Amino acid sequence: IPNDPCYATTTMTVIVNNPPIVNAGNDVVICAGESIILSGTGANNYTWSGGITNGVPFTPPTGTNTYVVTGETNGCTATDQVTVTVQPAINVTFTSDEQEACELLPINFTNTSTGNTINCVWNFGDGSTANGCGTIQHTYAQTGCFDVSLTVTSDAGCVSSGTIQNMVCIKSGPVANFIADPMVVTVSEPTVDFINQSVGADYYEWFFGDGNFSSQVNPSHTYPDTPDEFYEVILVAYNDIDCPDTARAIIEVQ
């Protein structure tokens, strides 16, 4: 009733804002222990599930993790989610067939790590390296104890490594040497005294060339009284880890 003094009108403007188009980013795959930054786009303010702070690095746990972001602009909200897959670290383990060995004797190292490995790099501690995810053979040319390391790369591109301190200790081998007294005998006096002059040895094997042998340090041996015979005497000297060295001499019977 326009002419009614008790009648009045007013207007109100209602602004309807479109909700923001929020984007949490692309799904990602990372390795265990790596950090990642999640940043939403398309809004003014962001709140993440799982206690994540927008734009701040964090380290997710191993496995498949889904994070939801809520974006807000002018009081309107929208959500999006992203999946972060964390590949487990490879447990790097390896063995050797010898823990003590003599220099210049080969040692076999075997990778026993679990998981799918596509690349393995060995460091033998003496300046030498090798590639291979199976069994690798290495020979040490110097004495001492050596740390051995293995770095493996998984099929997902994750790198893990392990080190065994003083895994292999290399010792000097013995030096076999002896004197035969005399080196020429007669059928009437066919006995020879052997004087052991080996260095760094712990036990011995003597082979007198006539089918007889001895494990004495300084043996004596009587040869058959057959003239014009020659016998090759072999001394094999061993140290405490069974590394051998050999010395030879010829005994003549006149």
Side-chain angles (χ1 to χ4, degrees):
I1 309 173
N3 295 322
D4 189 339
C6 296
Y7 178 82
T9 62
T10 187
T11 62
M12 174 183 292
T13 300
V14 178
I15 300 175
V16 180
N17 292 315
N18 291 321
I21 301 175
V22 177
N23 188 353
N26 296 325
D27 295 342
V28 293
V29 178
I30 63 174
C31 300
E34 293 182 352
S35 62
I36 189 174
I37 297 175
L38 296 181
S39 297
T41 59
N44 292 336
N45 302 294
Y46 305 94
T47 302
W48 287 87
S49 64
I52 307 304
T53 301
N54 195 69
V56 176
F58 72 100
T59 303
T62 301
T64 301
N65 306 280
T66 300
Y67 299 98
V68 179
V69 62
T70 300
E72 181 272 331
T73 300
N74 297 323
C76 298
T77 61
T79 63
D80 192 25
Q81 68 181 33
V82 62
T83 298
V84 179
T85 302
V86 181
Q87 297 285 350
I90 294 178
N91 181 25
V92 179
T93 58
F94 52 95
T95 62
S96 64
D97 62 352
E98 298 288 349
Q99 286 72 52
E100 287 186 320
C102 290
E103 51 192 334
L104 301 180
L105 291 180
I107 300 176
N108 293 311
F109 295 89
T110 301
N111 173 29
T112 56
S113 305
T114 56
N116 296 322
T117 56
I118 59 174
N119 186 50
C120 301
V121 179
W122 298 85
N123 188 322
F124 299 110
D126 61 348
S128 300
T129 60
N131 293 325
C133 291
T135 297
I136 297 293
Q137 191 174 88
H138 181 65
T139 300
Y140 289 90
Q142 60 196 84
T143 59
C145 293
F146 300 92
D147 302 338
V148 180
S149 300
L150 175 61
T151 301
V152 302
T153 304
S154 71
D155 54 358
C158 300
V159 178
S160 303
S161 61
T163 300
I164 299 179
Q165 304 288 332
N166 298 323
M167 184 178 190
V168 176
C169 290
I170 306 300
K171 300 180 67 173
S172 296
V175 178
N177 189 29
F178 68 93
I179 295 174
D181 183 25
M183 294 187 68
V184 178
V185 296
T186 64
V187 293
S188 60
E189 295 183 3
T191 299
V192 180
D193 294 323
F194 295 97
I195 303 170
N196 194 335
Q197 295 186 326
S198 301
V199 177
D202 293 274
Y203 66 97
Y204 310 92
E205 291 180 342
W206 295 86
F207 301 91
F208 299 116
D210 60 354
N212 293 292
F213 64 92
S214 173
S215 59
Q216 297 180 16
V217 177
N218 298 293
S220 295
H221 183 66
T222 300
Y223 283 92
D225 55 357
T226 304
D228 301 324
E229 291 289 341
F230 295 86
Y231 301 94
E232 183 183 34
V233 180
I234 300 175
L235 167 63
V236 184
Y238 300 88
N239 65 5
D240 59 345
I241 57 173
D242 297 332
C243 296
D245 191 42
T246 302
R248 292 176 169 84
I250 301 296
I251 302 300
E252 179 184 357
V253 179
Q254 293 183 351

